[in-house]
Amino acid sequence: MQTNQLVFELIMNIGLMVLVASLLSKLQLVQDIILQEKRNWKSQALLSVMFGAIIILSTYTGIDIGSYSLNTRVIGAMAAGLLGGPLVGLYASMIGAVYVYLFSAPQAFAMASAFSTVLFGLLGGGFYPYFQRGKWKYKDLFLLACFAEVCDMVSLLRFTVPVQMALKTILEISGPMILLNAGGILIFISSFNNIFIRQDLESSRQLQRASDLSKRCLPLLVEGLHKGENMEELASVL
C-alpha cells in the first residue's frame, strides 16, 4: 500500500474515533461520570466497557497492509486512563487486549499487540494525576502518545518471531503510527474537554450569583437586623 493512501486511511480511522468521542461527550450520563472525582464501581465499570468498546472498534477498523493491521487502539486505551483514572485504564485496556489477542490479524503480532494495549491503558492511568482535567498540557500529551507508540514498536520486536518480519513491519508503519496517533489523541481528548468547559462556566455563573447576592445583602447586614424593615428586605432578597 502506498504511503499516501496509508496516511489517508489512518486519518479516516482517527476521524471515526473523534466522531465517537464527540457523540459520547454529548450524553448526559457520560458527562456526569467523567466529572465525578470519586466514582463507584458501577461508574468505573461503565467507563471501562465504553472505552473497551472504543479499543475494539479501532482494532476492528484497522488497515490491513499485509504484514500488519494498522490501527488507532492507542487512542482509546490511553484516553481510558487519562479520563477515567488508573482502574478504568487497566480494565478497559484488558477488555481491548483480549479482543486483540483473539481476533487481530496477523496472529504473529497478537501477543505483542495485546501487551502494548494494556501498556497504553496503564500509561494513561499512571499520568491521570499529572494531566489536570480540562486543562491538558497538549505538548506533554503528544509526547506521551509518541512514547506509547515507541513502546508498541519495542513490543513487536520483543514478542514477534521471526524478528526480521517485526523489524520490516516497524520500518514500514512507525512514522504514520507515531505521528498520526499522537495527533489523534489530542483531538480525541479535546472532544471531552467541552465537558469541563461547561462545568467551569456553570461554576462561574454560580459564583457570579453569589457575588451579586452578597452585594445586595451586605448593606442590610451593616445596618443591623434589629430593624424590622431590614429583616423583611433581607428575607425578600434571599
Side-chain angles (χ1 to χ4, degrees):
M1 184 178 292
Q2 295 182 352
T3 302
N4 291 340
Q5 184 181 355
L6 186 67
V7 171
F8 175 77
E9 293 195 18
L10 190 57
I11 290 175
M12 293 295 292
N13 278 17
I14 292 173
L16 176 62
M17 293 295 102
V18 173
L19 177 61
V20 170
S22 299
L23 294 175
L24 290 174
S25 65
K26 298 296 188 298
L27 298 177
Q28 188 62 47
L29 177 61
V30 175
Q31 294 177 12
D32 294 340
I33 295 177
I34 291 292
L35 290 174
Q36 292 174 359
E37 294 188 6
K38 294 184 179 179
R39 303 184 183 92
N40 56 32
W41 68 270
K42 291 183 180 179
S43 297
Q44 295 201 15
L46 181 60
L47 281 182
S48 299
V49 171
M50 184 183 78
F51 282 107
I54 292 175
I55 298 171
I56 292 173
L57 176 63
S58 64
T59 304
Y60 179 77
T61 57
I63 306 164
D64 186 9
I65 60 173
S67 60
Y68 189 73
S69 179
L70 209 60
N71 57 74
T72 56
R73 70 182 186 279
V74 63
I75 296 177
M78 282 192 61
L82 291 170
L83 292 169
L87 288 179
V88 173
L90 174 62
Y91 296 150
S93 62
M94 288 182 67
I95 292 172
V98 170
Y99 179 87
V100 169
Y101 182 75
L102 295 176
F103 300 105
S104 66
Q107 195 60 31
F109 294 110
M111 176 62 74
S113 298
F115 175 81
S116 61
T117 301
V118 176
L119 181 61
F120 296 153
L122 293 177
L123 274 175
F127 282 86
Y128 174 75
Y130 174 75
F131 289 99
Q132 187 177 0
R133 304 190 315 165
K135 300 178 178 63
W136 311 101
K137 297 180 179 179
Y138 286 103
K139 177 183 176 182
D140 294 345
L141 189 57
F142 181 87
L143 293 176
L144 180 62
C146 289
F147 174 74
E149 282 293 356
V150 170
C151 291
D152 187 20
M153 305 304 162
V154 174
S155 298
L156 291 178
L157 283 175
R158 175 63 180 82
F159 292 101
T160 304
V161 179
V163 177
Q164 291 81 2
M165 181 177 67
L167 184 60
K168 179 182 177 182
T169 301
I170 289 171
L171 293 176
E172 185 178 0
I173 69 172
S174 58
M177 284 277 284
I178 292 174
L179 295 178
L180 292 178
N181 277 337
I185 197 170
L186 300 184
I187 306 173
F188 187 91
I189 291 291
S190 297
S191 300
F192 286 92
N193 207 29
N194 291 327
I195 298 176
F196 303 108
I197 292 175
R198 285 193 292 268
Q199 183 191 39
D200 290 341
L201 290 175
E202 181 60 27
S203 299
S204 299
R205 283 195 293 266
Q206 296 295 338
L207 288 174
Q208 183 63 43
R209 292 179 64 186
S211 176
D212 293 340
L213 181 62
S214 64
K215 289 178 181 178
R216 296 174 62 185
C217 292
L218 188 59
L220 301 175
L221 294 174
V222 170
E223 294 179 6
L225 297 178
H226 55 278
K227 296 181 180 180
E229 57 270 19
N230 282 0
M231 294 184 65
E232 291 178 2
E233 187 174 352
L234 179 64
S236 65
V237 169
L238 293 176

